[in-house]
Amino acid sequence: MFTVSILFHNLMLFVRESMVVETSTWQRIIIPIDVEKRACVFCGALHSSNKKVISIDTVEDIMEDQNNALSTEVFSTTMRNMCASAVAAFYGDKGEHGSHASRHSNKPIFSSCYCCHHWVERRKNKKDFMFPLQAMRWYVNTLHCDRKKNLDHRVVYRLSRMLQPHAGHGMENYYNMIYSENERDLFRSISKGSVNDVGDLVARFYYQQNGLTMFMASAKIVENIRRIA
């Protein structure tokens, strides 16, 4: 317990006292600093405005209700670790800076950007709910999402931009670690173009990842691949 307290004491200093330059948004997601300074728990990016508060209990409840097939998926395991770290950081900080930790809430909370918060609130009760970054990873590897439907390309474009360093004020978005190098290259390419380029870039990625196969799972996928052939 003493070691954990020292760890989180140093993490607080990282952000509050600027002891070192932060290299990823991880600290900004879990440490209970002012909501306005925190990174979005769902997309990992830092935003200057439109912050929403969501309790860690709520996030854990949503994960508990997700399809069992997602329980070992990398984003789910990463999110569970985030919840545990944020709870430990909150209570560790509350013991040392009680009033500061309770400025926005008397229980552990996350900060969320408006777009991700809106996504989660609208979809969290659906049977096949996925968090935004989960849905994007599923989509680029299958060309469908949410009961065989496409994922809105505006969502893919926004999230791809959020994963780039500029969206973290020069810091690396922590959630980049859950993606393969090829997936990160795809999101980088998407972020440099426009929303109109998303469909072709994702279709080309899918086609290459599947070894330029002649056999497709559906007529819809064949249609997507034919556009770029």
Side-chain angles (χ1 to χ4, degrees):
M1 182 62 70
F2 177 75
T3 302
V4 172
S5 298
I6 292 295
L7 170 63
F8 284 107
H9 172 75
N10 289 337
L11 286 175
M12 304 304 168
L13 292 175
F14 279 1
V15 177
R16 291 200 181 127
E17 308 298 333
S18 299
M19 285 178 57
V20 298
V21 176
E22 296 161 284
T23 57
S24 88
T25 58
W26 181 75
Q27 296 101 317
R28 296 294 185 102
I29 295 173
I30 70 163
I31 295 177
I33 55 176
D34 292 342
V35 169
E36 295 78 12
K37 297 178 181 178
R38 297 183 71 170
C40 174
V41 65
F42 300 121
C43 71
L46 285 165
H47 301 264
S48 58
S49 60
N50 294 331
K51 295 290 180 69
K52 293 284 188 176
V53 168
I54 185 167
S55 74
I56 293 177
D57 288 343
T58 299
V59 175
E60 290 178 325
D61 287 343
I62 293 172
M63 287 191 291
E64 186 69 25
D65 291 337
Q66 278 190 294
N67 190 307
N68 288 337
L70 294 172
S71 63
T72 58
E73 192 270 337
V74 64
F75 186 87
S76 293
T77 56
T78 300
M79 183 66 80
R80 280 195 290 273
N81 289 336
M82 284 285 196
C83 290
S85 296
V87 168
F90 175 84
Y91 287 110
D93 186 55
K94 190 173 183 180
E96 193 169 341
H97 307 89
S99 60
H100 190 289
S102 301
R103 184 175 299 176
H104 292 281
S105 175
N106 60 1
K107 61 183 179 180
I109 59 172
F110 284 127
S111 175
S112 170
C113 68
Y114 180 82
C115 291
C116 286
H117 189 272
H118 182 66
W119 167 287
V120 171
E121 285 298 310
R122 285 190 61 191
R123 293 170 173 81
K124 65 183 181 182
N125 294 320
K126 289 187 176 182
K127 179 181 178 181
D128 298 318
F129 171 79
M130 287 185 280
F131 291 103
L133 291 178
Q134 272 183 317
M136 182 166 73
R137 190 174 195 221
W138 185 274
Y139 173 62
V140 301
N141 285 286
T142 65
L143 293 189
H144 65 76
C145 183
D146 191 11
R147 301 185 183 221
K148 306 289 184 183
K149 295 180 181 179
N150 288 346
L151 182 61
D152 191 324
H153 288 173
R154 293 170 298 180
V155 174
V156 178
Y157 182 67
R158 184 188 77 84
L159 291 175
S160 294
R161 288 177 58 82
M162 293 303 98
L163 288 171
Q164 307 312 309
H166 72 83
H169 295 209
M171 289 180 272
E172 181 76 11
N173 188 314
Y174 181 70
Y175 289 123
N176 266 316
M177 60 166 263
I178 73 175
Y179 296 107
S180 69
E181 184 176 348
N182 288 340
E183 288 169 337
R184 290 195 296 270
D185 287 343
L186 168 65
F187 302 142
R188 193 175 300 113
S189 296
I190 290 173
S191 73
K192 292 178 180 178
S194 73
V195 68
N196 296 323
D197 301 322
V198 171
D200 288 351
L201 287 170
V202 171
R204 185 171 290 109
F205 171 83
Y206 175 87
Y207 193 37
Q208 291 172 345
Q209 290 296 107
N210 286 276
L212 309 180
T213 181
M214 295 173 58
F215 304 100
M216 302 294 169
S218 71
K220 180 66 175 177
I221 293 177
V222 171
E223 180 183 336
N224 289 335
I225 299 301
R226 187 177 292 139
R227 277 205 323 270
I228 58 140

